[in-house]
Amino acid sequence: FIKADGKLIRLHDNDINFIEAVGDYVKFVTTEKTFLSLATLKSIEEKLNSDAFVKVHRSYIINTKKISDIEDNTILIGKHVIPISKAHRKVIMDRLNII
């Protein structure tokens, strides 16, 4: 559950495309809607299923099952382009099953 819009909203792992830090808030982006919640990315990261989610940048945590494309230092999820930091690049590449 996340607290957004004055209520508790249930989000399943497979509903979340990525999570972005926006100042003191965290934005949960799903295919259909975006939710803004007062939290830190670090606190959210500790509560997430680590099998499906990985931090790729200081401001982004992505759902690895939603990746469409990876090019250079960016990941494409739907129509969103998400940067990959140099510090997190090895972690994401190790997590993916690259053939």
Side-chain angles (χ1 to χ4, degrees), residues 13 44-54 65 95:
D13 288 352
I44 299 299
E45 184 178 15
E46 292 169 357
K47 296 176 184 178
L48 288 172
N49 174 359
S50 62
D51 293 337
F53 293 93
V54 65
K65 298 173 185 168
R95 287 280 302 275

Side-chain angles (χ1 to χ4, degrees), residues 21-56:
V22 183
D24 292 337
Y25 291 86
V26 175
K27 182 167 56 171
F28 292 83
V29 179
T30 67
T31 305
E32 299 171 10
K33 198 170 179 185
T34 298
F35 301 97
L36 203 58
S37 181
L38 182 61
T40 64
L41 200 61
K42 183 174 176 70
S43 69
I44 299 299
E45 184 178 15
E46 292 169 357
K47 296 176 184 178
L48 288 172
N49 174 359
S50 62
D51 293 337
F53 293 93
V54 65
K55 189 171 187 176
V56 296

Side-chain angles (χ1 to χ4, degrees), residues 31-93:
T31 305
E32 299 171 10
K33 198 170 179 185
T34 298
F35 301 97
L36 203 58
S37 181
L38 182 61
T40 64
L41 200 61
K42 183 174 176 70
S43 69
I44 299 299
E45 184 178 15
E46 292 169 357
K47 296 176 184 178
L48 288 172
N49 174 359
S50 62
D51 293 337
F53 293 93
V54 65
K55 189 171 187 176
V56 296
H57 187 274
R58 66 183 168 91
S59 299
Y60 291 93
I61 296 174
I62 63 160
N63 185 340
T64 57
K65 298 173 185 168
K66 303 290 185 166
I67 297 172
S68 304
D69 191 1
I70 299 175
E71 184 176 329
D72 296 327
N73 292 322
T74 60
I75 291 176
L76 185 66
I77 296 180
K79 62 182 181 202
H80 301 278
V81 177
I82 297 164
I84 304 172
S85 71
K86 290 179 183 177
H88 293 95
R89 184 165 178 77
K90 180 169 175 22
V91 175
I92 184 68
M93 292 308 177

